[in-house]
Amino acid sequence: MVRAVAPSIESIYGDVVRRNPGEEEFHQAVREVLDSLAPVLARHPEYTEMKMIERICEPERQIIFRVPWTDDRGEVQINRGFRVEFNSALGPYKGGLRFHPSVYLGIVKFLGFEQVFKNALTGMPIGGGKGGADFDPKGRSEGEVMRFCQSFMTELYRHLGEHTDVPAGDIGVGGREIGYLFGQYKRITNRYESGVLTGKGLAWGGARVRTEATGYGATFFASEMLAAHGTSLEGRTVVVSGAGNVALYAVQKATQLGARVIACSDSGGYVVDEGGLDLEVLQHVKEVQRGRLSEYADRVPSARHVAGGSVWDVPCAVAIPSATQNELDGDAAARLVRNGCIAVSEGANMPSTPEALEVFRAAGTAFGPGKAANAGGVATSALEMQQNASRDSWTFEHTEARLQQIMHDVYARCSEAAEEYGSPGDLVVGANVAGFLRVAEAMHAHGLV
Ligand code: NDP
Ligand code: 2IT
């Protein structure tokens, strides 16, 4: 057999861009991973030969579907639904659903791609996938959200299963939406298949700590990074972006660990409260009323709301970006560094732009990339699947201890891989290398599939 010349990482990236036109976020996520892989290929020629990178960059299956529903005025609405089943080498496709008007194939693919490596880093038996719709839940009634979820599941159900593909929440999808989705799945299939979705309510198969898991995990990851530098969160000022599921529980855990969380944000602006945010008020405004952050400042006299503006203007020692992709650019990173920020733990997926990453690298800021730092959410989803499979239900304490251990292990895997592959302390390289190696080893064992 005549062997072809091995394509360079540059030409693999060029092909990804050419074959996936217009999908900027996907290109960005792929670029960052490929930039870490040269030393891996140098040690594993078999992966070049088997076109492992090219295969990993190509989703196993991509589903795009129409989601018709009727709004409260009787008007017909049409949305577009997605599920990208990216990689099943390590287990059933696993990853959240995002409902946000910005959702298109490029966002779902970037998230699915990241999910493959993240899930591998947890050490648990889960493949990677992601889905969602360009539906905007903002301002929609309960009835509209329910009808949308039912229509969405009426197509998606045929692609799911506890051993096939197991969605969960992401932006715009929380416990309420998972409830409607589960109800419709059960109705169509006539099966009480608890393990088909995670993030379920505690009364019907959900797991304790899943709601808190991503924010808690990102905070534990920050603690791991600080511990490696001989310090801790105790007495530190923290800024969190976002005010959704991940952000709120990062605020809670950081506060419990002795930090002072002084600011958070939503798409309308940010609030600063130098004495520390009042989580109870925050939860009431965001989780109960589904309101705007400006209402927090109306209720807490010591707080100030800044409409528009960047939350990264607020000086802090530790930043936990927990809103959305590319929310922290090079300028914001430079301001954070100038203001004394020593650690960044990404609660969101790819919140830092490549320019921001360079700034943090140059400044020596401890940096935990999302695929490692926010892995606690999906890891606890895997714990939920485990409880469902054994029809068991664990205590909060036990589950949180498992989560903390998992975050410790994720940190160790990244840190050791960074060291072993020539970039000590660089957790971006470490996460990409360690995630890639686990997936590639399984794919190699499965043959050319
Ligand atoms: P939520 O929908 O609960 O909250 C999202 C928050 O981010 C809101 O405060 C929202 O503000 C803000 N936000 C979202 N999009 C934008 C935008 N385009 N511009 C400005 N602000 C925005 O989502 P989650 O907390 O679940 O998710 C947050 C991030 O964490 C995402 O990147 C998600 O992929 C990631 N993640 C989530 C996990 C989970 O378990 N839920 C697990 C791992 C990662 P507003 O309400 O004003 O839109
Ligand atoms: O980005 C993520 O890891 C999630 N949204 C959670 C996925 C999951 O299956 O729990």
Side-chain angles (χ1 to χ4, degrees):
M1 194 168 81
V2 181
R3 296 230 187 276
V5 177
S8 69
I9 283 182
E10 225 29 74
S11 84
I12 296 174
Y13 177 70
D15 277 350
V16 168
V17 171
R18 187 178 52 74
R19 286 161 54 79
N20 302 276
E23 299 176 0
E24 280 172 35
E25 296 84 358
F26 179 51
H27 303 164
Q28 183 184 335
V30 169
R31 173 90 251 177
E32 189 217 281
V33 170
L34 297 200
D35 281 345
S36 303
L37 293 183
V40 176
L41 294 187
R43 263 194 231 179
H44 291 278
E46 72 278 18
Y47 291 161
T48 301
E49 198 175 313
M50 292 307 289
K51 301 219 165 149
M52 203 54 86
I53 300 184
E54 293 91 322
R55 281 159 67 198
I56 284 183
C57 289
E58 185 70 19
E60 289 176 15
R61 189 178 296 107
Q62 308 183 54
I63 302 144
I64 305 181
F65 52 101
R66 178 169 68 204
V67 188
W69 57 285
T70 312
D71 70 18
D72 285 347
R73 295 179 314 168
E75 193 182 325
V76 170
Q77 300 282 343
I78 308 294
N79 286 101
R80 187 171 292 171
F82 302 88
R83 186 73 181 166
V84 173
E85 297 181 333
F86 225 109
N87 196 299
S88 61
L90 295 175
Y93 308 107
K94 182 80 198 87
L97 298 171
R98 177 178 292 192
F99 291 169
H100 192 271
S102 63
V103 167
Y104 77 108
L105 188 59
I107 288 206
V108 182
K109 272 161 73 175
F110 118 65
L111 290 165
F113 184 75
E114 291 275 297
Q115 198 82 49
V116 173
F117 301 93
K118 182 196 304 188
N119 294 5
L121 282 172
T122 65
M124 300 169 102
I126 40 180
K130 201 83 187 191
D134 59 356
F135 171 70
D136 189 356
K138 274 207 193 84
R140 290 295 179 188
S141 69
E142 289 280 328
E144 289 177 319
V145 170
M146 181 178 76
R147 290 196 296 283
F148 177 80
C149 289
Q150 290 176 338
S151 181
F152 184 84
M153 186 53 92
T154 300
E155 170 57 31
L156 190 63
Y157 87 95
R158 71 189 81 249
H159 305 289
L160 306 184
E162 62 179 327
H163 301 298
T164 307
D165 186 350
V166 183
D170 193 81
I171 291 176
V173 178
R176 173 181 65 172
E177 290 74 21
I178 294 295
Y180 295 145
L181 292 164
F182 185 76
Q184 185 72 352
Y185 183 86
K186 180 167 71 63
R187 189 179 190 195
I188 297 174
T189 60
N190 194 28
R191 281 166 63 86
Y192 204 109
E193 193 182 327
S194 299
V196 75
L197 287 168
T198 61
K200 299 181 293 296
L202 294 185
W204 42 278
R208 291 187 183 84
V209 191
R210 176 61 191 89
T211 304
E212 295 85 355
T214 312
Y216 278 21
T219 310
F220 289 143
F221 201 88
S223 294
E224 293 285 342
M225 292 194 295
L226 291 169
H229 289 83
T231 179
S232 77
L233 276 169
E234 179 82 41
R236 299 277 185 194
T237 50
V238 173
V239 167
V240 173
S241 65
N245 173 265
V246 179
L248 290 183
Y249 294 96
V251 171
Q252 183 173 59
K253 186 47 69 183
T255 308
Q256 285 172 3
L257 294 178
R260 191 157 44 90
V261 187
I262 56 174
C264 70
S265 64
D266 64 12
S267 57
Y270 65 91
V271 287
V272 196
D273 193 341
E274 289 295 341
L277 294 170
D278 183 329
L279 184 67
E280 219 171 290
V281 177
L282 205 52
Q283 280 183 305
H284 191 77
V285 169
K286 298 308 287 191
E287 289 184 333
V288 181
Q289 300 180 321
R290 294 179 184 274
R292 308 307 304 160
L293 211 44
S294 50
E295 296 163 39
Y296 174 93
D298 296 341
R299 291 180 48 179
V300 180
S302 56
R304 180 166 56 90
H305 181 257
V306 181
S310 165
V311 73
W312 308 121
D313 289 344
V314 181
C316 62
V318 177
I320 310 185
S322 305
T324 193
Q325 66 278 351
N326 293 327
E327 53 158 313
L328 200 174
D329 63 15
D331 288 343
R335 286 199 302 282
L336 278 170
V337 168
R338 212 178 310 125
N339 288 335
C341 178
I342 55 167
V344 178
S345 181
E346 292 190 328
N349 285 306
M350 207 169 75
S352 306
T353 64
E355 294 74 28
L357 233 126
E358 277 318 308
V359 171
F360 293 136
R361 258 199 190 114
T365 313
F367 182 82
K371 62 171 76 73
N374 72 38
V378 75
T380 307
S381 278
L383 298 180
E384 181 171 334
M385 292 162 74
Q386 199 173 322
Q387 289 165 79
N388 292 152
S390 57
R391 300 183 189 278
D392 198 357
S393 172
W394 305 344
T395 64
F396 195 95
E397 293 67 29
H398 173 72
T399 319
E400 189 184 3
R402 293 282 301 258
L403 169 63
Q404 192 165 4
Q405 181 64 46
I406 289 167
M407 296 315 295
H408 175 83
D409 295 345
V410 169
Y411 176 83
R413 284 184 190 106
C414 295
S415 162
E416 283 157 20
E419 179 93 35
E420 197 184 329
Y421 283 82
S423 301
D426 190 328
L427 300 176
V428 173
V429 170
N432 291 336
V433 168
F436 176 84
L437 284 172
R438 184 160 181 244
V439 177
E441 188 184 341
M443 285 176 72
H444 197 56
H446 296 167
L448 189 55
V449 290

